[in-house]
Amino acid sequence: MLMNKVALIGAGMTRFHHSLHKDKSSRELFVEAFLECLDSVDKSISHKDIDALFISATASEFFEHQSHIACLLSDWTGLNPIPATRIEAACASSSAALEIGVFAIASGMYDIVLVGGVEKMTTLEVDEMTYALMSGLDHPYECILGVSNPGLYAMMANAYFEKYDSSWEELTSISIKNHHNASMNPKAHFQSEIMDIAKKISQKKGLKFDNEMDFLKSPTNPYIAHPLRLFDCSPVSDGASAILLASSKKAKKFTDTPVYVTGLGHTSGTMSLHDRRDLTSIPASVEAGNRAYKMAKIESKDIDFAMVHDCFTPAEIIATEDLGFFPRGEGGKAAIEGRTRINGEKSINTDGGLKAKGHPIAATGTAMSYEVWKQLRGEADKRQVNNAEIGLIHNVGASGGTAIVQIFRR
Ligand code: COA
């Protein structure tokens, strides 16, 4: 239980993209997210109000040959001499940074804390980038054998198909929905429906696709790691996100519509897939969800919308089951039936998810919180969930060594 309530009072992020930020370094990207975050504070805030920075950059040693990045970002945002600390938990890094920021305020040590993440992934070719991200897996037991992130999630997908007698078609419904949601998100990497992408490709290559499935089943959507094809994968993106946290005592000075952190769940699970009993669930996610629900004193049915970790399409299906939104084996069917669309039974990944919004690793967690902030303040425009009161984020480190669930309330 937190000794003091903590609220989000500002949020900012860059657009996530593979080429737009070509000439920017991660420090410039983070400054861009920070400036939007400052601007978003309703009653204005100054640099001197901010007491500390917790920041993540998962693999900046690989991408930019840069470690010791927290003080660099404190300097570039003009926040020196505040303490600045880097937090790392693979793809869940910036959710872990947000959690530490909450603890720092709840302890009474600070009143206002900046948290966030940044990743500049496109400095490397895709094979080198894949190798860099493999450092977040179990090196001697997985990477040395050549297993990478797409391969691990492909194994989970195959296990799920086998156990529940389902098939790849269920995965396509995740991709189609998330591209649709991202088409309404100005911050998303891909801002196109899959059919619009298919039309462009057909014009360029003289091909004909009758519908989305026709395109998704074609060689234009090649296998990456069977059964996962290109459109089952999150893309390689650059980007940054930032959130300003405040004690509830101070929050009202800066905004009349704070968003409160009401539930936190952070767990560790067996990292290597070969040591797990069942590949159709991520046990760390189940436990993180249970802890967050318990702290928020709610159940999964009370969640109005959720951003879940869909680095690959099967991950979204498994997450919606692990978090208790749908019974085991029914997450994919629920998606096919449209029950996870915006304003469906449970609105999932309203921002386009990692699949279509993009996944600059360390920026992902606080970008999920950015969408929750927008939704709970009624600022999500065409993506707005009606009467959104309670939002959840679910952020997984690699294939489930870390899972973080956070619940926010208006
Ligand atoms: N979904 C849809 N389209 C994609 C895409 C994706 N994930 N990734 C790239 N594309 C598109 C590009 O926009 C490009 O289209 P264009 O020719 O019209 O510009 C085309 O496909 C080729 O892009 P390219 O960058 O050459 O693709 P690639 O083959 O080098 O990379 C993947 C594709 C799937 C291998 C890469 O996106 C990847 O590794 N993704 C997973 C990243 C990851 O592991 N993250 C961590 C998760 S835990």
Side-chain angles (χ1 to χ4, degrees):
M1 201 48 62
L2 298 178
M3 286 161 68
N4 297 300
K5 266 174 88 175
V6 178
L8 276 59
I9 58 163
M13 67 180 279
T14 64
R15 183 176 170 190
F16 288 176
H17 207 257
H18 67 289
S19 62
L20 199 66
H21 305 305
K22 221 176 179 49
D23 301 327
K24 292 180 201 156
S25 61
S26 60
R27 63 187 83 179
E28 290 165 301
L29 288 171
F30 188 69
V31 168
E32 200 176 311
F34 171 65
L35 291 178
E36 186 192 326
C37 186
L38 280 187
D39 267 359
S40 73
V41 178
D42 297 328
K43 297 183 194 170
S44 94
I45 191 164
S46 91
H47 286 63
K48 66 176 175 21
D49 292 313
I50 301 171
D51 298 317
L53 169 65
F54 295 100
I55 180 78
S56 49
T58 308
S60 55
E61 286 83 355
F62 291 96
F63 294 132
E64 291 180 296
H65 199 69
Q66 183 68 63
S67 60
H68 203 193
I69 199 166
C71 61
L72 199 68
L73 297 180
S74 169
D75 195 16
W76 275 64
T77 47
L79 291 172
N80 281 355
I82 63 165
T85 310
R86 177 179 171 184
I87 310 285
E88 194 272 313
C91 312
S93 292
S94 57
S95 294
L98 189 145
E99 181 188 68
I100 302 290
V102 169
F103 293 161
I105 293 171
S107 72
M109 182 74 188
Y110 303 125
D111 274 318
I112 314 275
V113 170
L114 177 68
V115 297
V118 59
E119 211 79 66
K120 172 81 187 177
M121 298 173 75
T122 59
T123 50
L124 299 182
E125 295 297 327
V126 77
D127 54 341
E128 296 170 312
M129 180 284 304
T130 302
Y131 189 67
L133 296 190
M134 283 161 72
S135 66
L137 309 178
D138 187 335
H139 193 77
Y141 288 99
E142 290 180 326
C143 307
I144 281 180
L145 304 173
V147 186
S148 60
N149 282 293
L152 291 172
Y153 279 92
M155 288 184 223
M156 292 189 212
N158 282 321
Y160 187 92
F161 295 166
E162 178 75 19
K163 184 165 179 178
Y164 297 114
D165 194 23
S166 63
S167 64
W168 173 78
E169 276 70 16
E170 286 188 357
L171 304 185
T172 61
S173 60
I174 305 296
S175 184
I176 292 168
K177 168 184 68 71
N178 288 350
H179 270 268
H180 171 72
N181 293 352
S183 74
M184 300 180 283
N185 183 355
K187 301 288 187 177
H189 183 139
F190 296 111
Q191 296 177 13
S192 307
E193 303 268 0
I194 289 189
M195 205 52 214
D196 293 333
I197 298 174
K199 276 182 197 147
K200 264 195 205 148
I201 292 177
S202 58
Q203 277 164 7
K204 209 157 104 188
K205 297 194 174 170
L207 301 166
K208 189 174 172 306
F209 304 111
D210 291 333
N211 51 47
E212 280 151 336
M213 284 311 285
D214 196 21
F215 168 69
L216 291 171
K217 280 184 176 164
S218 75
T220 325
N221 183 25
Y223 283 111
I224 301 297
H226 193 276
L228 306 182
R229 293 174 180 252
L230 182 65
F231 277 75
D232 292 305
C233 303
S234 56
V236 179
S237 324
D238 298 330
S241 57
I243 299 281
L244 267 168
L245 299 169
S247 59
S248 57
K249 195 172 68 208
K250 279 280 169 80
K252 286 283 161 89
K253 182 177 163 204
F254 298 104
T255 176
D256 291 329
T257 48
V259 166
Y260 290 99
V261 180
T262 57
L264 297 171
H266 179 165
T267 54
S268 307
T270 303
M271 204 154 164
S272 306
L273 249 57
H274 68 264
D275 272 339
R276 294 197 201 154
R277 278 176 200 281
D278 181 0
L279 300 190
T280 65
S281 164
I282 293 180
S285 295
V286 177
E287 183 57 25
N290 287 341
R291 290 180 184 205
Y293 293 140
K294 189 171 173 204
M295 180 172 159
K297 297 190 177 72
I298 59 166
E299 296 174 32
S300 59
K301 67 174 171 42
D302 301 316
I303 300 294
D304 295 316
F305 64 96
M307 302 309 124
V308 306
H309 199 90
D310 61 323
C311 50
F312 300 95
T313 48
E316 177 168 318
I317 294 178
I318 290 173
T320 58
E321 297 176 12
D322 283 342
L323 295 167
F325 299 151
F326 301 106
R328 291 280 166 211
E330 289 188 23
K333 292 173 188 66
I336 283 189
E337 288 161 9
R339 290 155 66 195
T340 57
R341 284 194 202 131
I342 294 173
N343 290 316
E345 184 180 325
K346 198 73 88 184
S347 305
I348 304 289
N349 286 334
T350 54
D351 58 359
L354 282 55
K355 166 66 205 83
K357 183 189 62 186
H359 183 27
I361 310 300
T364 284
T366 36
M368 289 173 162
S369 307
Y370 174 93
E371 175 71 359
V372 171
W373 156 266
K374 288 272 175 202
Q375 289 284 353
L376 290 179
R377 286 165 50 99
E379 295 170 356
D381 203 14
K382 290 182 193 155
R383 312 185 306 283
Q384 186 63 47
V385 174
N386 299 335
N387 306 316
E389 288 268 347
I390 305 179
L392 174 150
I393 72 108
H394 159 260
N395 195 192
V396 172
S399 59
T402 298
I404 298 185
V405 174
Q406 295 168 344
I407 297 171
F408 304 88
R409 194 168 195 144
R410 237 189 341 203

